[in-house]
Amino acid sequence: MFFVDTLDTAGLGNRSYLAGGERAAVVVDPPRDIDRVIAAAAVRGVRIALVVETHLHNDYVSGGLELARTTGARYLVPAAAQVSFARTPVADGDTARVDEGITLRAMATPGHTPHHTSYVLEEDGRAVAAFTGGSLLIGGVGRPDLVEPRLTEQLARAQHASVRLLADTLDDEVAVLPTHGFGSFCSAGRGAGATTTTVGAERGSNEALVKDVDTFVADLLAGLDDIPAYYAHMGPANAAGPSPIDLTPPEPADAERVAQRLAAGEWVVDLRSRVAFAEGHVAGSFNFEGTGAPATYLAWLIPWGRPVTLLASTAEEIADAQRELARVGIDRPVATATGTPESWVRTPDELRSFARSDFAGLAAARRHGGAPVILDVRRNSERAGGAIPGSVHIPLHQLPGRLGEIPPGVVWVHCAGGMRAAIGASLLDAAGREVVAVDDGFEAARAAGLTAAVA
């Protein structure tokens, strides 16, 4: 009897899979922190016989090469992927034995990348699951614009054909197990909150299966959003062969060391909650909540290669963030400190704080205080559903380079829910601006009568 275990990497919106039989298993699109995969295999009591990649990933550093080296498994990578390490090249129609009666069959499904390959898990010759990577997702597809701009439309058309090939080839009851689509910026569709699906369920709802190719491509290209800046570094790292992850504790930093890091222009990142950060923090530090998606937004905003010092309440919070950051190639914080802000500064005047409010508070400020500066740090696509008239719009990932565009005065920073507003507020606070972080859902702005439609 086959099994499939899902390994979520929620911070990146991805999933990896461990699948197999009684004795052996295959790992699909493994994360860089392979200790999780090895532990999952140990729980099952199976040997990892195969490690496979659906494509060279653009959004995270793969653990596939190191997992194969560590376990002695065969490492299957699409033959057309240009890599600098030894692997077993896989082409359309190739099969590999996983365990007794269980095989893996490769299907060429270009679109997310030119070499993208899906894998069909078969038990006694019957397809039971399809690992679709960045091809067929829940309700949509993987975006086609991450490889080369000149190939985007061609890959979008290939994506439509690949999804239809999967649907035409597989029975309705076959489970669809994508890598992307759970919040990943590699996804170009909306899954309406669903976390599981089958081929049959996708037939009546997936954008590539209910639209003709021209409509699908036009809609897909029109809906593409900004690409995280760190994606430019993930593909080359995976092609070269990533180094093993190093999660040993970094060097501790005292208040003097923290001050030195700030003076050197390095990034000092406070992982505490946005509430705690606003109440008191080291002047010049940035707030990326450890419970949010620190890897995604920190990797997107930081100048690539800039050293990072992490601050948190506990060593466990540091360790969690270090793991998250290593998944996207930010390998080693140069230093860390735990405790409270008072222990991270040499003198009390090195502490800062700023105000927090909600959209009702912003509405009151507009009624009674004139015209406060309102900064909207949502992405371009989010503004289509409405915006506050007169607000300054600078997407969060562009903010470090555009601080000079913000008018003088107290700046009220908002996003869709509060987390990105806190990041933006911390960036402005570090630059010496007076800020108010709007910690509220954007729907509350509508209730407060603040929004208008944006064409």
Side-chain angles (χ1 to χ4, degrees):
M1 183 69 180
F2 80 97
F3 74 87
V4 177
D5 291 338
T6 301
L7 289 79
D8 279 302
T9 304
L12 297 178
N14 286 331
R15 288 179 173 179
S16 305
Y17 300 95
L18 175 75
E22 292 184 2
R23 299 178 181 83
V26 57
V27 179
V28 182
D29 288 343
R32 193 180 187 190
D33 46 332
I34 63 172
D35 56 325
R36 294 194 296 147
V37 183
I38 293 172
V43 169
R44 281 284 183 180
V46 294
R47 173 179 61 90
I48 296 176
L50 300 173
V51 177
V52 305
E53 304 282 8
T54 57
H55 61 293
L56 287 184
H57 303 284
N58 289 290
D59 61 329
Y60 70 94
V61 179
S62 172
L65 181 61
E66 183 61 18
L67 182 60
R69 287 172 175 169
T70 301
T71 62
R74 292 172 62 203
Y75 190 25
L76 277 57
V77 178
Q82 300 298 309
V83 298
S84 301
F85 50 83
R87 90 290 195 201
T88 300
V90 178
D92 184 49
D94 287 352
T95 60
R97 182 181 184 274
V98 179
D99 201 354
E100 183 67 32
I102 299 175
T103 59
L104 202 66
R105 176 165 52 86
M107 287 184 63
T109 50
H112 186 48
T113 67
H115 60 264
H116 190 282
T117 301
S118 299
Y119 298 91
V120 178
L121 189 71
E122 298 178 341
E123 183 177 50
D124 298 328
R126 178 178 64 91
V128 292
F131 302 104
T132 54
S135 184
L136 173 60
L137 308 186
I138 300 177
V141 299
R143 59 192 298 173
D145 60 329
L146 302 180
V147 178
E148 159 60 57
R150 291 171 295 183
L151 294 178
T152 297
E153 181 173 349
Q154 174 185 330
L155 288 176
R157 291 183 178 277
Q159 191 71 295
H160 185 270
S162 291
V163 169
R164 294 199 166 216
L165 173 66
L166 287 163
D168 290 344
T169 303
L170 302 173
D171 293 335
D172 282 355
E173 65 271 17
V174 174
V176 174
L177 304 172
T179 300
H180 305 312
F182 310 95
S184 168
F185 286 108
C186 276
S187 172
R190 300 290 183 268
T195 57
T196 61
T197 193
T198 62
V199 172
E202 293 302 305
R203 288 191 199 282
S205 61
N206 192 281
E207 297 170 2
L209 297 174
V210 298
K211 297 177 180 178
D212 65 81
V213 62
D214 290 332
T215 303
F216 168 80
V217 170
D219 291 348
L220 181 64
L221 299 186
L224 292 174
D225 214 333
D226 295 326
I227 300 172
Y230 71 92
Y231 276 27
H233 305 279
M234 299 298 96
N238 288 322
S243 60
I245 194 170
D246 181 358
L247 296 177
T248 56
E251 178 182 340
D254 58 14
E256 187 63 37
R257 181 81 183 277
V258 171
Q260 290 171 353
R261 305 247 73 90
L262 285 167
E266 299 176 5
W267 276 41
V268 174
V269 173
D270 190 327
L271 299 166
R272 296 176 302 139
S273 75
R274 54 187 182 259
V275 175
F277 184 88
E279 290 175 349
H281 55 269
V282 178
S285 63
F286 305 132
N287 182 216
F288 290 80
E289 285 186 310
T291 56
T296 298
Y297 287 102
L298 178 55
W300 197 339
L301 269 67
I302 191 171
W304 197 251
R306 183 75 57 88
V308 176
T309 293
L310 299 179
L311 310 177
S313 298
T314 68
E316 290 75 19
E317 292 167 345
I318 293 287
D320 288 345
Q322 184 179 350
R323 181 180 290 266
E324 289 254 356
L325 294 176
R327 291 170 180 159
V328 292
I330 301 178
D331 282 331
R332 293 288 296 164
V334 293
T336 63
T338 57
T340 64
E342 290 75 18
S343 65
W344 302 332
V345 295
R346 298 166 299 186
T347 59
D349 63 357
E350 293 177 339
L351 291 174
R352 284 181 61 90
S353 63
F354 55 73
R356 296 171 54 252
S357 189
D358 54 18
F359 282 109
L362 174 56
R366 294 190 79 177
R367 287 195 302 269
H368 303 120
V373 179
I374 303 169
L375 175 63
D376 181 349
V377 297
R378 295 176 299 161
R379 295 187 303 279
N380 293 328
S381 60
E382 296 174 278
R383 296 261 297 184
I388 299 174
S391 60
V392 178
H393 178 227
I394 302 177
L396 178 62
H397 59 277
Q398 298 177 12
L399 187 56
R402 298 178 61 186
L403 293 174
E405 299 177 25
I406 302 169
V410 179
V411 184
W412 290 65
V413 188
H414 85 83
C415 60
M419 183 189 72
R420 286 173 294 169
I423 297 172
S426 75
L427 294 172
L428 285 164
D429 175 78
R433 296 296 300 270
E434 186 177 355
V435 297
V436 179
V438 179
D439 193 357
D440 204 358
F442 191 71
E443 287 305 310
R446 304 182 200 281
L450 287 169
T451 65
V454 175

